[in-house]
Amino acid sequence: MKNQKYNAYLKEVGTFIPQDRIYIDELRLLAWGTDAGFYRLIPQIVIRSKNEAEVARLMTLADKYELPVTFRAAGTSLSGQSISDSILIVAGKNWEQYSISDDHTRITLQPGIIGARVNEILKPYGRKFAPDPASVKSAMVGGIVMNNASGMNCGTHANSDKELLSAKIVLADGTRLDTGDPASRRAFEQSHPDFLKRLVELRDDIRADQALSERIRRKYSIKNVTGLNLLPFVTYDDPFDLIAHLMVGSEGTLAFLSEVTMKTEHDYPCSASAMLYFNDIKEACHAVVAMKQGPVFSAEMLDKKSLASVGDTTGTGLTAVLTETKADSPEELQANIEAIKKILAPFHTATPIHFTDKPEEYSKYWAIRSGIFPSVGGTRQLGTTVLIEDVAFPINDLPEATADLQALLEENGYDDACIYGHALEGNYHFIISQSFDTPEQVARYERLMDEVKSLVVDKYDGSLKAEHGTGRNMAPFVKYEWGEKAFAYMKAVKELFDPKGLLNPGVIFNDDPRCHLKNFKPMPLTNAHVDRCIECGFCEVNCLTCGFSLSSRQRIVIRREISRLSHLADAESQARMHTLLKQYKYLGNATCAGDGLCSMSCPMGISVGDLTHDLREESLPAGSLGYKTGDWIANHFAGTKASIRPVLYLANVAHSLLGDKSMSAVGRTLHRMGLPLWTPAMPKPYRPHTIQQHAEPLKVVYFPSCINQTMGPAKNSPDPTPLIDKTVALLQKAGYEVIFPKNMKNLCCGTIWESKGMRDIADRKSTELEDALYEASHEGRYPVLCDQSPCLHRMREVMTRVKLYEPVEFIYTFLRDKLQFTPIDDPIAVHITCSMRKMNLGNMLVELARLCSRHVVVPDEVGCCGFAGDRGFTHPEVNAYALRKLRPQLEKAGVKTGYSNSRTCEIGLTSNSGIPYLSIVYLVDQCTTPKK
């Protein structure tokens, strides 16, 4: 930050924004300066804003010092519209409030709430959020609206522009306006009369030009987000409606969107899909044009290369159209299907037309559709970038335009390019793998874009950007597509809203005709586990430290930059590399839970946990003190566990003497001195003892995890019975004889060492355990139960000779028919651990809990708890951040007890929720009797 203006700005900002929400360090500037697009700019300052008042003050100061500002929500945009080399204001995790109208037809949203979350909120009322971009599970409302992002179903009839009712905004000078509030409108009329006068003049001038007005209507009859949104000028009379709708698709170039009120849409309960195969892409397109007039909700085109990329074996050279219809009743749905079949009768399909309304069947079709992007991205040459361009054609031109686009890509040597997308709207995506490492490669991309421009604009008068935003990528071509007159009106709007040109400069409006060929993001190789990452950001919704330290995507970004710098010999690059390495230790490594939950929303299935484990392994080479310590513990495991029990005993004595409040205070003080955090949720020691057994024909091998062999219940637990005893009692109640493996006190699954990066020791311990379980189970004849879900997950990954179960799965599969369930009326909460999610057992946990209680609460937006083995003791701040939304939901529901199936997770859940969490085994035992 060499510029004095930035220093002065930062000094004033520091008077009202806490330092922990202002980033000027090397690492976080780089991390937040990266989005899903293929450009990169590194900001001078990143500010995590919290509310509209803060943003207004930030923008007032930026106006004062004439410093450019860019806004960012989720950073899933693809065209370079959420990056900055100046001030980046983030409106994400702190902007998640909403309210719904009494009739559920309107919803008011802050910009940081994720699109899919809006649908979860509306689902109980039979409503939905209409805009449905493919990124809806990761993209935030602010980005969806400000990019006018659409998708498979909403088309142009239900996009953000059509659904928006009003908006709260902050203008470039810090002025706040709520277009839906009469008082705010009156105040604005008093403070900005010239602004409103000029806006009305622009409206009237555009309407007076009949040819331009007609062109605007025609251009927006298909998907179009190239340039600013001119449609409001020919649609709305009220200047405040104009202001609100001009926000849609403006990409942060006109104002900051702090809140938006949208219409909600009816959510049809019945749907059916068919994968229609055609021998010829033109024939497929003609069929889509015909279906446009029928009860078709979406028609997704998949060309022959798209089908080949996902291993579709239906036939060679086919084109598919994934077609969907929806209805309010099965009868109406069937009528829709018959109507579509009638429309398709004149067309020749390569296979018989078959619609299915069975989710288990049509979900496979949609898996094929969603698998194209990750398949192409995953098989690209490493080090290249995957680009997704999107264009739109008038629907009647679709057959010829599609064939032309396919030929254009082949002629330019993009042999792996796939064409797919929303054919019903004339909107296609094409995916290419592109490198920007040499001038020749850049020139190749430039040629392609010039030819795409000519094809889309000159031949078909289509849209160069249909739904991904103009950004920097298409900024040089806005005037070319729209013409001088329309572009002049766009510039007039920009000058009215942002007279100093401070809001997102270079986006939509850019005087550099080659701006789309500059500032490319480097994609160096860094680690085999993550090299296929395309930095889309889809992982972040499952990353518990996103918004706290670094997200999974940001960890990859930083490691790539470290790798790039490591190959540069100059002093500046080496100094920067060492700075990033130093800053990464806490932000990237220490705070990563390593749970791999990010892989579940990553289109490539990448787990940043694997990267973290690799880095930890590198820091603990064989022969180092840390490695030797880990190896010694592995070889003396029983003694290590025995030495922990007296510590737990002393802590429990101290807890009894001090009480909860004093215990918490002492624990926090000791933690600040560098010791692990001790809380009232800490367990008493488990004392191994003989458990009475009974010979039964049903047998199960029970391996209590080493944690449960060491830790008993907490002092304030509602049930003082140790989990091992409780589990044995439940199994015996169901008629099982319990078999423990030999030498159990020395056995461990290896998770402890794996999480620390000592994988060889972890594998050694796993092998020891598998051998013991194989023997105890009579060579795999009996099932094996482990009472700790994370341990069982690792065991399943490395063991093949025994049949393994965690508590929920074993109870649900083997005990349910042997027990009589009597559900309680008390509300209870369940926590689905990361390992359960990865084993797809979350629904089973909820179903089991519902057998036990009539009121089961699954808290919203609570994923990984962040305890991560022992990191909840050493880095409790991660645990607290991960569970920040838990306590209010439990208090609202009146929940007094929670259940899960991981002892360490339960410690963290208890500490941060205010209620005790126990193993689900306790709940099942409480609510069951032997079935007679």
Side-chain angles (χ1 to χ4, degrees), residues 68-110:
V69 172
T70 295
F71 311 111
R72 171 188 170 125
T76 56
S77 54
L78 297 165
S79 302
Q81 58 266 61
S82 63
I83 57 175
S84 170
D85 57 4
S86 182
I87 299 166
L88 185 69
I89 297 177
V90 181
K93 295 290 184 184
N94 297 320
W95 296 79
E96 300 171 279
Q97 301 300 309
Y98 67 90
S99 62
I100 309 173
S101 64
D102 292 340
D103 63 359
H104 313 123
T105 61
R106 301 184 311 281
I107 187 166
T108 299
L109 301 158
Q110 287 191 327

Side-chain angles (χ1 to χ4, degrees), residues 735-752:
Y736 273 85
E737 178 183 348
V738 180
I739 302 169
F740 292 104
K742 293 178 181 177
N743 196 29
M744 191 169 69
K745 62 184 180 181
N746 283 309
L747 299 177
C748 180
C749 67
T751 298
I752 299 169

Side-chain angles (χ1 to χ4, degrees), residues 222 285 288-289 292-293 393-399 423-426:
I222 63 173
C285 291
V288 170
V289 174
K292 181 73 173 177
Q293 307 306 315
F393 303 104
I395 189 70
N396 291 327
D397 293 329
L398 196 62
L424 199 66
E425 303 298 331

Side-chain angles (χ1 to χ4, degrees), residues 411 465 485 597 753 777 846:
E411 289 165 6
K465 279 296 179 183
K485 190 178 292 184
L597 212 56
W753 291 272
S777 65
V846 176

Side-chain angles (χ1 to χ4, degrees), residues 803-815:
K803 294 172 285 189
L804 297 161
Y805 299 89
E806 57 83 68
V808 167
E809 191 176 17
F810 189 85
I811 294 168
Y812 200 83
T813 304
F814 296 108
L815 306 191

Side-chain angles (χ1 to χ4, degrees), residues 230-243:
L230 293 178
L231 188 60
F233 286 110
V234 298
T235 307
Y236 300 99
D237 296 324
D238 188 299
F240 291 101
D241 286 337
L242 285 176
I243 291 171

